[in-house]
Amino acid sequence: MRKLIDLPSQESEKTLDKNEQKTRPAKVKSPVKSKGQTGQNMKHESAEKHVTGKAVYVDDMPEYPNQLHIAVGGSAHAHAKIKSIDLTSVRETLGVVDVITVHDVPGHVDIGPVFSGDPVLVEELCEYIGQPIFAVAADTMEIAKAAVAKAKIEYDVLEPTLTVEKALEDKFFVRPTHQLVRGDAAKALAEAPNRIQGQQHVNGQEHFYLEGQVCSVLPTEDGGMKVYSSTQHPTEVQKLVAEVLDISLNKVQVEIRRMGGGFGGKETQAAPLACIAAIVANKTGRPVKYRMSRTDDMVMTGKRHPFFNTYDVAFDEQGIMMGSNIMVAGNCGNSPDLSDAIVDRAMFHSDNAYYLNNTKVVGHRCKTHTTSNTAYRGFGGPQGVILGELMMDDIARHLGEDPLTIRKRNLYGIKHDHIKVEHGEKKGQVDERNQTHYGQIVENNVLPELIEELETTSEYWKRREEIKQFNANSPFLKKGLSLTPVKFGISFTVQFLNQAGALVHVYTDGSIHLNHGGTEMGQGLFLKVAQVVAEEFQVDLDTIQVSATNTEKVPNTSPTAASSGTDLNGMAARDACLRIKAGMVKFAAEHYGAQEDDISFDNNHLVIAKKLDSKKGEDLSIEEQRVPFADFVQQAYMGRVPLSSTGFYKTPKIHYDRASGQGRPFYYYANGASVSEVLVDTLTGESRLVRTDILHDVGRSLNPAIDKGQIEGAFIQGMGWLTTEELKWNDQGRLLTSGPATYKIPAVGDTPFEFNVNLLEDKPNREETIYRSKAVGEPPFMLGISVWSAIRDAIASLADYKYGAQMDTPATPECVLRSVQATKEHARKAAQEQKA
Ligand code: MTE
Ligand code: HPA
Ligand code: MOS
């Protein structure tokens, strides 16, 4: 076990405005600290409520006596035109109160979040199986569901496009293709001593949040709507509900206390439910709940984008990349949704942690007649990163080197005497090998050191030898080992989203109320932001009450996504605290006849440390007075000091010009690395994760316990994506894996026998993030790639580590067996050639 990180208060005060400087933290500190400040291991604010069932989710809220329940009827075909709809028997079903179609929508019909393409209900053209056509409102969900089945819909069935290959062939895209270019890839590829090509099909992933999509809406007396929605993006739900109803935003209020997981699946996908429920509520004047069944949720809502990736890479004798042509093609489903930004993120991250010299990265947004794919932890990043890792493994096999050696040589910031490169855009300069293909300089590059530390603590090389020995003596069971790093860009790539607001009240008994624009989905955001407030006022965490995210408290919010929840909302809450403190300090100085500089906050007290003798050169004697925080707040209230404030934050330094593909889209990078050891049965294709070691960089952790939980959870979720979670559609475009019986998420038995997770120590974020912490939500997801790479490593042992057979994801037993066969075939041919 590592020691916990002892966290001093924010030290970047000099950069804050004048007002804020005056409220610097306590100079006179008692040895007793208030409880729960940042840096401490605090349990999730709802941990007990989660396990006792007291936590209230949307579906747990009290029902209204006249509440209606929704079930939606969806398209039976992946691609078809509706010829006729007969809903007579649906309407006549006992207990059915209303049935709506697109003709009942008072306002906007298209609810696409960024680009159009998502009809709230289909009028004519159906583009995936399950696409909503009509909604039934009934006294119970069971009645509504039964009634849906009675609809008679006639279709003109059209040919569907169901694969990325077909979409690429037909140039069938939801958004235009985009590319990032640096130097001359074609020239480098033509001239290099070594050149290989490879490809991979990377499958999608079902979010499988434990709480499915759900909302509950209530018409208000002003013709508006109160919406409880399990959403990561309350403001967008507010906007879309207002638009479909053709009312102003100020008439719609959206609230969410917590989600039972979101994982990106509730960034845009919660809104359609709220819109449908609101249309019904508006029409009937009754409260409406819409909770999807698990099957509907899996069939109707978007998932992680499957990708088809190819590379053509040139490298020197040491395996250092000299040029590359990279293609990432995302299967976006039937509409744009967030796919433009998702494929962009895949393009940004196809380097993973490696310096891509002369390169061309092309990103396609393929359209298929499946549900519209959406945000999922990593937001396209993982699908790009895994291509970078594929290249590393394949280069290593080609040269017969250990993949870790090749990885280390290609890392950003590693200079090689034999390589001097000049790029077109910076002619005359020797390349520092620290600039990404989109122009961002990789600063604060902890990876080389981090990898070295993990290499040592995981005993990589010792185990490498042991594994080679084991494999030499074991004909069928093969072990594999792989270390893969992560470099993940933190910020929304869409600049305006990088802002946040907060609202803090201090009540007269000293208790504090905190609200901000971020949403809680289990990641511990509410706790971390409360810890920030506890830190600022130096009070116990349990004096702070966090309330549900609500568009009437903090408006115009960004989704809680891109791992930036704490960075953004933590800073906004701190800003609110600083404003309140500024007023308090001013008042305290007057009230106690002291200088503002003499006032500080410490261990639930206001401290007045008056300097008694101010003659120059002499030691100052200090008279210290300590007033309990609650007593002081009462005094401040009587002194008519404002005890409430909003706060605001926007991320500095970021800029990006998409047309030229140049800029600094990310405020900073989050890093980590993992080493996984697997055991593969080459007769059955089954594999087992034996041991994983992780070293991850969260800067100065706000809460090491929560951060470790995020790292462990993300790793397991990433591993599930790449090993057992298989989405399968039939040739009609019907999702066959539409429930837990056929779609297998990792269970506790799939976790590694040995799991060593550590935080990188003593590496505060060099950027001025909240107390120098780093975002943690998504980056460790990509640590799961070491499992996939280790399975390939085990298979490569069948060809003396000289061949890297294609292995798509997930690496199910069937998929592993295909790769095993290809490897054996290669080895057989190689042996024959040698004989001849
Ligand atoms: N952790 C839990 N327990 N549940 C979740 O739904 N979502 C992940 C990550 N960790 C998620 C989670 C995703 S996709 C993101 S973007 C971040 O949390 C969002 O929260 P943050 O920005 O506060 O880290
Ligand atoms: N990450 C996650 N969600 C997003 C982003 C992003 O970069 N952009 C828009 N929504
Ligand atoms: Mo996370 S995919 O950015 O919600």
Side-chain angles (χ1 to χ4, degrees):
M1 273 294 284
R2 282 164 174 254
K3 74 173 183 333
L4 296 178
I5 295 156
D6 187 27
L7 189 100
S9 297
Q10 183 89 355
E11 12 113 276
S12 59
E13 301 265 314
K14 53 186 174 304
T15 61
L16 299 168
D17 75 34
K18 266 220 172 112
N19 246 358
E20 296 163 338
Q21 277 190 34
K22 291 174 186 159
T23 59
R24 73 179 71 112
K27 282 160 291 181
V28 190
K29 285 218 168 177
S30 61
V32 193
K33 265 196 136 196
S34 48
K35 292 185 214 70
Q37 291 172 15
T38 58
Q40 298 179 30
N41 276 324
M42 302 302 292
K43 64 173 182 249
H44 194 282
E45 40 82 17
S46 292
E48 268 140 38
K49 289 185 270 181
H50 287 157
V51 296
T52 56
K54 283 188 183 147
V56 177
Y57 296 84
V58 172
D59 198 35
D60 299 324
M61 293 184 354
E63 301 209 341
Y64 306 97
N66 59 340
Q67 182 169 285
L68 296 172
H69 299 262
I70 299 280
V72 160
S75 172
H77 300 279
H79 193 197
K81 275 196 174 147
I82 297 173
K83 273 205 295 201
S84 68
I85 306 186
D86 178 2
L87 300 174
T88 319
S89 3
V90 182
R91 287 183 201 280
E92 283 171 356
T93 307
L94 192 68
V96 167
V97 173
D98 205 353
V99 181
I100 61 158
T101 66
V102 66
H103 304 291
D104 297 297
V105 182
H108 288 194
V109 167
D110 198 309
I111 55 168
V114 187
F115 306 100
S116 56
D118 296 297
V120 62
L121 293 168
V122 168
E123 179 163 16
E124 193 189 16
L125 183 66
C126 301
E127 297 207 284
Y128 69 93
I129 291 180
Q131 186 168 23
I133 298 172
F134 64 96
V136 179
D139 293 331
T140 69
M141 189 165 104
E142 290 68 28
I143 294 172
K145 286 219 115 195
V148 161
K150 297 181 185 170
K152 294 191 188 78
I153 303 179
E154 286 184 323
Y155 302 87
D156 266 335
V157 180
L158 306 167
E159 187 68 29
T161 297
L162 296 169
T163 64
V164 178
E165 286 90 336
K166 181 78 171 51
L168 282 173
E169 201 181 298
D170 299 345
K171 297 199 166 27
F172 192 43
F173 299 136
V174 294
R175 297 285 307 153
T177 293
H178 186 57
Q179 62 181 37
L180 297 169
V181 177
R182 161 160 65 190
D184 191 343
K187 184 163 172 278
L189 283 161
E191 290 172 358
N194 300 290
R195 179 173 176 177
I196 57 172
Q197 292 89 26
Q199 64 176 48
Q200 58 186 177
H201 289 272
V202 181
N203 208 338
Q205 188 177 21
E206 162 61 36
H207 298 88
F208 227 106
Y209 21 60
L210 290 184
E211 176 212 34
Q213 303 278 0
V214 58
C215 70
S216 168
V217 307
L218 181 68
T220 66
E221 62 180 43
D222 301 311
M225 216 46 79
K226 168 96 200 234
V227 181
Y228 297 93
S229 165
S230 181
T231 175
Q232 292 172 240
H233 200 348
T235 290
E236 190 161 84
V237 172
Q238 177 195 24
K239 174 173 172 283
L240 293 172
V241 165
E243 285 177 0
V244 293
L245 297 182
D246 197 22
I247 57 179
S248 53
L249 264 77
N250 62 3
K251 292 209 187 294
V252 182
Q253 183 192 158
V254 180
E255 180 172 312
I256 175 63
R257 171 59 182 86
R258 63 172 65 76
M259 283 160 274
F263 306 112
K266 294 170 182 172
E267 182 171 341
T268 62
Q269 306 290 295
L273 285 84
C275 289
I276 288 172
I279 294 162
V280 173
N282 181 61
K283 191 167 169 230
T284 59
R286 287 167 64 167
V288 176
K289 177 150 89 178
Y290 181 5
R291 174 171 66 77
M292 276 187 181
S293 67
R294 181 62 66 177
T295 313
D296 279 357
D297 199 322
M298 291 180 79
V299 169
M300 290 179 167
T301 70
K303 304 163 202 324
R304 179 184 296 284
H305 291 57
F307 266 70
F308 175 56
N309 298 335
T310 64
Y311 74 79
D312 183 355
V313 66
F315 46 98
D316 68 9
E317 298 302 346
Q318 292 197 23
I320 297 161
M321 290 188 286
M322 302 175 74
S324 48
N325 258 331
I326 288 170
M327 183 203 74
V328 294
N331 178 342
C332 304
N334 75 93
S335 78
D337 185 74
L338 301 171
S339 297
D340 232 12
I342 287 167
V343 176
D344 271 358
R345 198 172 266 274
M347 294 166 70
F348 288 140
H349 286 82
S350 55
D351 62 345
N352 190 18
Y354 313 111
Y355 178 74
L356 285 183
N357 215 328
N358 305 289
T359 193
K360 181 159 112 180
V361 179
V362 176
H364 297 295
R365 285 92 177 137
C366 297
K367 174 162 176 168
T368 60
H369 293 105
T370 57
T371 181
S372 188
N373 290 318
T374 195
Y376 194 141
R377 210 169 194 168
F379 203 73
Q383 295 96 314
V385 168
I386 194 168
L387 177 74
E389 295 306 328
L390 175 73
M391 290 195 293
M392 290 300 110
D393 282 342
D394 289 357
I395 292 171
R397 301 309 173 210
H398 186 85
L399 296 176
E401 292 254 25
D402 192 279
L404 179 54
T405 306
I406 300 301
R407 287 188 163 92
K408 285 166 72 178
R409 286 181 187 154
N410 280 287
L411 286 177
Y412 278 104
I414 303 293
K415 284 170 212 153
H416 301 278
D417 289 341
H418 68 290
I419 304 180
K420 302 237 185 302
V421 204
E422 289 169 17
H423 287 308
E425 76 264 23
K426 20 190 268 177
K427 270 240 152 52
Q429 288 173 18
V430 175
D431 202 286
E432 294 291 322
R433 298 180 65 83
N434 66 352
Q435 193 176 28
T436 63
H437 51 298
Y438 46 91
Q440 177 155 355
I441 305 287
V442 181
E443 296 169 306
N444 191 15
N445 184 9
V446 299
L447 264 185
E449 255 181 82
L450 185 152
I451 289 173
E452 209 163 291
E453 185 178 337
L454 183 63
E455 215 177 314
T456 310
T457 55
S458 70
E459 301 185 293
Y460 181 91
W461 295 107
K462 179 169 158 256
R463 287 162 67 202
R464 170 58 75 201
E465 284 316 308
E466 287 166 4
I467 285 170
K468 279 190 176 160
Q469 285 289 318
F470 175 92
N471 287 344
N473 297 316
S474 171
F476 304 122
L477 290 180
K478 300 288 183 186
K479 282 188 178 175
L481 184 71
S482 181
L483 183 154
T484 60
V486 170
K487 166 183 135 286
F488 191 76
I490 301 300
S491 290
F492 288 96
T493 54
V494 181
Q495 192 189 31
F496 76 88
L497 291 175
N498 296 287
Q499 59 174 311
L503 180 64
V504 174
H505 306 319
V506 181
Y507 293 106
T508 51
D509 63 353
S511 67
I512 297 173
H513 177 96
L514 164 65
N515 195 275
H516 54 76
T519 58
E520 176 61 44
M521 57 193 101
Q523 84 278 39
L525 174 67
F526 279 19
L527 171 61
K528 282 184 170 179
V529 180
Q531 284 183 282
V532 168
V533 174
E535 179 84 35
E536 284 305 321
F537 287 106
Q538 296 283 314
V539 295
D540 290 345
L541 186 65
D542 62 11
T543 67
I544 296 158
Q545 181 64 50
V546 191
S547 64
T549 316
N550 189 314
T551 53
E552 288 192 352
K553 285 201 157 182
V554 176
N556 311 327
T557 55
S558 295
T560 306
S563 303
S564 60
T566 307
D567 283 15
L568 297 174
N569 297 287
M571 276 299 214
R574 178 166 186 264
D575 181 51
C577 295
L578 290 174
R579 287 170 199 279
I580 297 170
K581 276 164 67 181
M584 285 180 164
V585 167
K586 188 162 177 287
F587 166 77
E590 284 162 16
H591 191 76
Y592 289 100
Q595 301 295 313
E596 288 189 18
D597 250 12
D598 302 339
I599 311 294
S600 59
F601 297 81
D602 178 50
N603 188 23
N604 300 296
H605 287 74
L606 180 94
V607 181
I608 308 109
K610 275 192 239 172
K611 302 174 195 81
L612 293 181
D613 186 353
S614 60
K615 271 184 223 150
K616 273 193 185 143
E618 282 175 32
D619 273 359
L620 301 177
S621 55
I622 292 176
E623 179 198 86
E624 190 190 305
Q625 194 179 346
R626 300 177 74 85
V627 186
F629 185 72
D631 295 354
F632 170 70
V633 169
Q634 180 63 31
Q635 291 164 1
Y637 170 72
M638 298 306 287
R640 299 187 294 175
V641 174
L643 295 171
S644 168
S645 179
T646 59
F648 184 78
Y649 177 73
K650 60 178 182 193
T651 310
K653 294 189 181 177
I654 47 175
H655 57 90
Y656 182 65
D657 174 31
R658 191 166 184 266
S660 64
Q662 289 290 308
R664 176 182 182 166
F666 306 117
Y667 188 27
Y668 62 90
Y669 294 103
N671 293 115
S674 62
V675 181
S676 289
E677 179 179 331
V678 298
L679 185 62
V680 176
D681 184 332
T682 58
L683 293 179
T684 64
E686 287 164 295
S687 62
R688 168 76 236 190
L689 179 55
V690 178
R691 171 176 166 183
T692 292
D693 293 65
I694 290 173
L695 185 57
H696 197 81
D697 174 21
V698 293
R700 199 181 269 155
S701 177
L702 295 177
N703 186 327
I706 292 282
D707 285 349
K708 280 192 177 179
Q710 283 290 295
I711 294 165
E712 290 165 1
F715 170 82
I716 297 296
Q717 197 170 36
M719 177 197 80
W721 169 49
L722 296 173
T723 55
T724 60
E725 296 183 39
E726 187 173 30
L727 291 169
K728 239 183 156 39
W729 289 265
N730 71 7
D731 58 7
Q732 306 294 303
R734 183 174 300 280
L735 182 68
L736 299 173
T737 49
S738 58
T742 45
Y743 185 81
K744 190 179 175 319
I745 59 171
V748 69
D750 298 305
T751 58
F753 293 128
E754 190 179 341
F755 199 12
N756 304 312
V757 178
N758 287 304
L759 305 179
L760 186 69
E761 277 185 66
D762 302 324
K763 283 276 185 291
N765 195 340
R766 290 247 208 104
E767 297 298 343
E768 287 166 1
T769 50
I770 184 73
Y771 305 128
R772 305 282 175 164
S773 61
K774 277 193 176 185
V776 69
E778 295 165 288
F781 180 89
M782 283 148 278
L783 297 173
I785 293 173
S786 63
V787 179
W788 175 80
S789 175
I791 295 174
R792 284 190 90 215
D793 183 65
I795 297 170
S797 72
L798 294 167
D800 198 22
Y801 297 101
K802 296 229 170 64
Y803 180 65
Q806 181 176 341
M807 188 173 77
D808 296 336
T809 82
T812 57
E814 297 89 331
C815 175
V816 168
L817 269 187
R818 278 193 292 274
S819 189
V820 164
Q821 305 283 292
T823 307
K824 283 184 177 165
E825 182 64 19
H826 177 89
R828 197 180 53 76
K829 275 192 191 147
Q832 257 174 8
E833 271 167 32
Q834 219 165 29
K835 263 192 219 149

